[in-house]
Amino acid sequence: MSKIYVAIIGAGGVGKSFISQLNAYVGRIRNKHTINTILISRSSKALQSKDYSGINLTTWESDLSGGGGGKPPAFPEETLKFLTGAPGPVILVDNTSSEEVAGEYPRFLSAGVHVVTPNKKGFSGSLELFQAIYAASAGQNGNGGYVFHEATVGAGLPVLSTLRDLQDTGDEIVKIEGVFSGTMSYLFNSFAPLSPTGSEKPFSACVAQARELGYTEPDPRDDLNGLDVARKLTILARLSGLPVSQLTSFPIQSLIPKPLETAASAEEFLDGLAEFDNDMEGVKAAAEKEGAVVRYVGSLDVAKGEVSVGLRNFDKGSAVAGLKGSDNIISFYTRRYGDRALIVQGAGAGAEVTAMGVLSDFIKVLERLK
């Protein structure tokens, strides 16, 4: 049996779910691989198996909180030295949203460490970093580590793997569009439902409700500014062959009223948002006059070289209009599929499904290490 070593950075919501799923997976494949988790690191505390014998994934949380943990190895130097000293292949699982960690991917990959992550920062930041990550993953003479980041777009949905399959089989991507944010999906499915009942809430109330249910970030402006969707479109654009130079190099429609951009707190922002409800009511009414509904979408036109993020009206018979709850929907228009798009739809957010996407990437690396 092969022996694989795992280092996990980030043990919050997604990290906890990933460790739980990894523990269950390890139990199912004991006769195929020996998988030793040698590092579970949080910002200020970590469990580290310095002799590479492995951490108990069943008791890790109590071990960490009960005084069994220590100071994390300094990143990146001590961490890289520890991982490259392992007596076998190492997979680094970055469950953070850290720019610092993502910025070191090329260094780890060049050293032969494999990387799987839901962290968007390395793939939607500077084009130079994006290119460096993939150059290092190929490596000189093919010696670099593998890198997979399915969960950076659509959490557990097979978005990037679908794109890769289309490209690898020789299809031509014409356009990709859809609802890429569970937050925005929930907001507009609530604010402008396909079948209005007359009891719909104003936009500000929908935002407040989404926050209460945990669909938004603690400060809803972090969702309403459109940057999360823009990061996903940047990743898709680059993988589709469009060299998007930076996150703000294409139109991103923010839904934050200008006077509220500098609100001192999320509460102050929400208190003031109701004053702008008439603006959003006008947008909804204009769509209804066309027999349509308004949705917040991302669009990537490869043929025209155009990327955009913002509000668009959709016919009530369209798949986008019929979306439910906080689901995502991504439509691939290609030369082979023509006008009938290949559609990927389902939950595009949440710790469990995001961790599933990360574990799926982890398994892809294992398959390549056989």
Side-chain angles (χ1 to χ4, degrees):
M1 291 190 296
S2 58
K3 185 170 286 189
I4 312 296
Y5 299 88
V6 185
I8 302 167
I9 300 179
V14 173
K16 285 182 182 179
S17 294
F18 172 77
I19 294 170
S20 176
Q21 292 180 23
L22 176 63
N23 191 31
Y25 177 74
V26 168
R28 295 195 299 271
I29 62 156
R30 291 191 187 279
N31 61 335
K32 296 181 181 179
H33 297 282
T34 298
I35 298 177
N36 285 0
T37 299
I38 56 175
L39 178 68
I40 298 177
S41 178
R42 286 177 167 166
S43 57
S44 59
K45 205 171 184 182
L47 292 173
Q48 183 177 2
S49 177
K50 294 184 179 181
D51 63 358
Y52 303 103
S53 61
I55 295 166
N56 188 325
L57 295 185
T58 301
T59 63
W60 74 271
E61 199 165 2
S62 59
D63 292 340
L64 189 60
S65 62
K71 187 178 179 181
F75 188 88
E77 285 80 8
E78 288 184 9
T79 304
L80 182 59
K81 182 178 179 180
F82 173 61
L83 299 190
T84 55
V90 177
I91 303 174
L92 172 64
V93 182
D94 172 22
N95 287 318
T96 75
S97 58
S98 167
E99 290 187 14
E100 178 191 7
V101 176
E104 298 293 341
Y105 289 168
R107 186 171 174 182
F108 280 78
L109 290 164
S110 295
V113 176
H114 311 289
V115 175
V116 298
T117 182
N119 187 347
K120 302 178 186 67
K121 300 294 175 61
F123 308 93
S124 62
S126 71
L127 180 60
E128 291 75 18
L129 176 57
F130 175 86
Q131 292 172 334
I133 289 170
Y134 275 94
S137 68
Q140 294 183 1
N141 302 316
N143 293 325
Y146 295 113
V147 59
F148 289 98
H149 55 102
E150 181 73 75
T152 58
V153 181
L157 295 178
V159 178
L160 299 188
S161 54
T162 297
L163 174 61
R164 187 179 300 112
D165 287 346
L166 290 168
Q167 293 171 322
D168 288 349
T169 57
D171 204 352
E172 178 183 345
I173 307 298
V174 177
K175 182 172 67 174
I176 304 172
E177 70 175 13
V179 176
F180 290 85
S181 164
T183 300
M184 293 300 199
S185 179
Y186 177 83
L187 277 178
F188 283 92
N189 291 338
S190 302
F191 173 65
L194 185 61
S195 302
T197 63
S199 61
E200 286 74 40
K201 298 178 180 179
F203 187 72
S204 61
C206 291
V207 174
Q209 182 181 48
R211 184 179 186 239
E212 290 173 5
L213 294 172
Y215 286 123
T216 74
E217 295 294 328
D219 189 331
R221 285 175 292 183
D222 293 335
D223 295 293
L224 297 177
N225 62 16
L227 291 179
D228 180 65
V229 177
R231 287 190 181 280
K232 296 171 185 178
L233 264 292
T234 297
I235 294 168
L236 284 172
R238 288 172 175 173
L239 293 176
S240 298
L242 296 183
V244 174
S245 60
Q246 56 186 342
L247 188 62
T248 56
S249 62
F250 54 85
I252 305 169
Q253 183 179 2
S254 172
L255 301 186
I256 305 171
K258 284 285 185 184
L260 298 181
E261 288 179 344
T262 56
S265 65
E267 286 68 29
E268 183 180 319
F269 166 73
L270 289 169
D271 288 343
L273 189 59
E275 297 178 20
F276 301 89
D277 277 337
N278 286 340
D279 295 341
M280 291 303 296
E281 288 293 337
V283 171
K284 179 167 70 171
E288 289 173 349
K289 284 183 180 179
E290 299 177 5
V293 291
V294 63
R295 296 291 184 261
Y296 194 89
V297 301
S299 181
L300 162 63
D301 191 319
V302 177
K304 296 180 180 178
E306 296 177 351
V307 184
S308 64
V309 172
L311 295 174
R312 275 183 51 196
N313 295 344
F314 285 84
D315 181 270
K316 290 187 176 182
S318 68
V320 170
L323 206 59
K324 304 292 184 183
S326 60
D327 279 2
N328 286 186
I329 183 169
I330 296 90
S331 300
F332 293 88
Y333 294 87
T334 75
R335 176 177 55 81
R336 288 178 181 152
Y337 280 85
D339 293 333
R340 295 183 63 82
L342 187 163
I343 294 176
V344 176
Q345 179 177 343
E352 286 293 318
V353 292
T354 301
M356 182 195 74
V358 179
L359 182 61
S360 175
D361 281 346
F362 181 90
I363 294 169
K364 290 184 178 74
V365 174
L366 287 185
E367 290 171 343
R368 286 159 175 77
L369 295 178
K370 288 181 180 178

